[in-house]
Amino acid sequence: MSYLSNRVAGFGTTIFTEMTALAREHNAVNLGQGFPDFPAPDFIKEAAAKAISADINQYAPLPGSPRLRQAIADKTKRLYGREVDPNTQVQIVNGATEAIYATIQGVVNPGDEVIMFEPYYDSYVPCTTMAGGIPRYYTLRAPDWHIDRDELAKLFNDKTKLLIINTPHNPIGKVYTREELQMIADLCIEHDVLVMADEVYEHIVFDDAEHVQIASLPGMEERTITVSSIGKSFSVTGWKIGWTVTTPELNKAVFKAHQFIAFAVASPLQEASADALFHAEESDYYPWLAKMYQDKRDYLLSALNDAGFKTLTPQGAYYILLDISEMGRGNDVDFCRYLTKEVGVAAIPPSAFYSNPADGATIARLTFCKTDEMLAAAAERLQTLK
Ligand code: PMP
Ligand code: GLN
């Protein structure tokens, strides 16, 4: 008899862990798991060292550091024009990962349906099922990832409690337009459905794409839980400082779940995150970040195209999808294993992000959140496929 609960028995190891281990084993350039391999900015590291030295080392308040909540409220006002009360509308959690879990635990009852777009970020489905919820999928299809209103409308019914969107989107790089968000918002308002908006890549947008918060659309503030974190924006994915911004009532849902999941979040890293957000408010940090990633995107895109790959150009986040349908190397899992072991470049097979793995079988995900040297090393190895 297995000691594992039914809740977790079916879960495998996440694809990120699996591919990073394979990359290590074969000494491959790891363009799989999305974590920067370059140093975080000095200002955030120095702020953390200072906070530890100043003995900010005991439990943080349950809602999170007041300075960090204030910094998040300030940024929400300046960038998105929304006035939020840092004391009742912001909750600090352990990364966006906990924000997703706590939000779903806080609002989904057994039997409730949760609509999500696939490919989805891998934690949405297990978080939904652990709460007893039922995932319902809208499949986005390449190359334009268009959303058909009627097809989406069919997923709504009287059991629908929550819809999850992720913009800018991992892994497809889609930045939802205002019109698309309005269409989704109209359906959610009509059916009285809540929205969880995962916006961890909010500052990584390219060309003329604009990140719009669905919470800023009329009638949406009262039904949206916006999720973000410090990891991608300041190249500190290991810090796991995340947050939700929502109404005072929905904030209680996240708060009540959070108090028994983690209770509190690393105090000195919260202070340093507050410093980093204040610094970004007073400087051109976010445009700098977007430009830095746009250059890396363009470099990797042209290296991939030179090597003969068909690519899809992302408008945001830090991933590129390859069309591998004509590579003759099997499905995405076979191809990514081959690329890691034989070519020495690790990638992520996107079938892990679909309810029907066949929908992701002809694409592969590469990340460009790596040093220029690493990207050049990957480009050189990819040239051997020509
Ligand atoms: N959502 C998306 C779409 C992500 O790509 C990630 C990546 N790590 C997360 C959530 C989790 O963020 P965090 O590291 O802050 O937990
Ligand atoms: N968000 C990162 C990615 O998509 C890493 C996620 C993880 O390791 N859990 O690659």
Side-chain angles (χ1 to χ4, degrees):
M1 192 199 77
S2 166
Y3 287 124
L4 272 58
S5 72
N6 297 340
R7 213 173 293 123
V8 303
F11 298 161
T13 307
T14 82
I15 193 66
F16 307 113
T17 307
E18 195 183 316
M19 292 313 292
T20 290
L22 197 68
R24 284 214 184 100
E25 192 186 323
H26 293 276
N27 207 12
V29 178
N30 190 357
L31 302 193
Q33 196 176 18
F35 62 88
D37 67 344
F38 44 83
D42 285 343
F43 61 81
I44 193 168
K45 291 189 294 198
E46 282 160 12
K50 214 168 98 196
I52 291 174
S53 297
D55 250 319
I56 304 178
N57 294 316
Q58 307 309 326
Y59 291 129
L62 211 161
S65 140
R67 286 181 67 243
L68 179 54
R69 284 182 281 127
Q70 185 64 55
I72 292 163
D74 289 359
K75 158 180 137 101
T76 304
K77 173 134 200 278
R78 183 179 71 86
L79 294 175
Y80 306 118
R82 294 168 55 211
E83 198 83 58
V84 296
D85 177 353
N87 293 319
T88 58
Q89 297 188 254
V90 181
Q91 174 67 48
I92 310 302
V93 289
N94 281 271
T97 307
E98 198 214 342
I100 293 161
Y101 185 74
T103 298
I104 295 175
Q105 283 292 323
V107 303
V108 171
N109 280 315
D112 286 348
E113 294 191 5
V114 177
I115 298 175
M116 57 190 83
F117 295 89
E118 57 180 2
Y120 41 70
Y121 184 60
D122 74 333
S123 79
Y124 300 162
V125 177
C127 286
T128 300
T129 58
M130 280 193 282
I134 300 159
R136 301 288 309 272
Y137 306 102
Y138 183 97
T139 311
L140 296 164
R141 301 210 181 265
D144 61 353
W145 315 110
H146 169 75
I147 303 168
D148 180 81
R149 188 194 178 281
D150 295 340
E151 207 191 314
L152 180 61
K154 282 191 209 140
L155 295 178
F156 284 78
N157 61 49
D158 57 9
K159 293 203 189 98
T160 314
K161 182 69 181 282
L162 178 70
L163 176 143
I164 304 177
I165 66 161
N166 171 214
T167 183
H169 188 286
N170 172 11
I172 67 178
K174 177 183 175 73
V175 177
Y176 285 61
T177 63
R178 191 175 288 277
E179 292 68 36
E180 285 171 325
L181 293 172
Q182 188 63 60
M183 182 248 281
I184 296 167
D186 290 345
L187 285 167
C188 291
I189 292 169
E190 184 186 331
H191 295 274
D192 192 17
V193 166
L194 301 173
V195 171
M196 179 172 74
D198 176 348
E199 304 184 359
V200 296
Y201 299 99
E202 62 187 309
H203 301 299
I204 307 178
V205 285
F206 310 128
D207 307 319
D208 49 8
E210 184 201 2
H211 171 65
V212 178
Q213 286 204 318
I214 194 166
S216 68
L217 302 182
M220 288 309 290
E221 186 140 39
E222 60 253 43
R223 61 180 65 252
T224 304
I225 301 115
T226 304
V227 168
S228 197
S229 70
I230 204 82
K232 324 285 168 186
S233 302
F234 293 90
S235 308
V236 286
T237 60
W239 282 24
K240 304 300 289 186
I241 302 292
W243 55 85
T244 56
V245 177
T246 187
T247 63
E249 193 204 344
L250 288 169
N251 188 62
K252 278 190 205 138
V254 181
F255 170 93
K256 282 173 189 259
H258 167 73
Q259 65 184 332
F260 298 121
I261 299 170
F263 177 70
V265 179
S267 312
L269 301 185
Q270 290 194 60
E271 292 314 315
S273 298
D275 287 334
L277 292 185
F278 286 132
H279 173 89
E281 286 306 286
E282 289 153 12
S283 66
D284 281 338
Y285 178 76
Y286 297 130
W288 171 86
L289 183 81
K291 166 83 171 58
M292 187 262 292
Y293 276 124
Q294 184 162 326
D295 290 346
K296 290 185 186 293
R297 175 199 70 167
D298 292 346
Y299 176 81
L300 189 61
L301 273 177
S302 70
L304 289 166
N305 295 335
D306 276 0
F309 284 105
K310 280 197 210 151
T311 50
L312 294 158
T313 303
Q315 302 166 299
Y318 47 47
Y319 308 99
I320 291 175
L321 291 182
L322 308 181
D323 175 352
I324 56 161
S325 55
E326 286 160 21
M327 296 295 294
R329 292 274 170 195
N331 65 19
D332 62 320
V333 176
D334 302 329
F335 176 81
C336 290
R337 288 183 163 274
Y338 158 77
L339 202 67
T340 310
K341 289 182 182 173
E342 309 296 333
V343 183
V345 178
I348 297 286
S351 53
F353 310 141
Y354 287 90
S355 56
N356 175 9
D359 285 326
T362 59
I363 49 178
R365 191 195 85 171
L366 292 177
T367 183
F368 51 86
C369 59
K370 305 294 170 185
T371 57
D372 293 348
E373 292 71 31
M374 275 296 167
L375 294 177
E380 202 181 306
R381 292 178 183 196
L382 290 166
Q383 292 295 330
T384 60
L385 283 175
K386 253 187 182 170

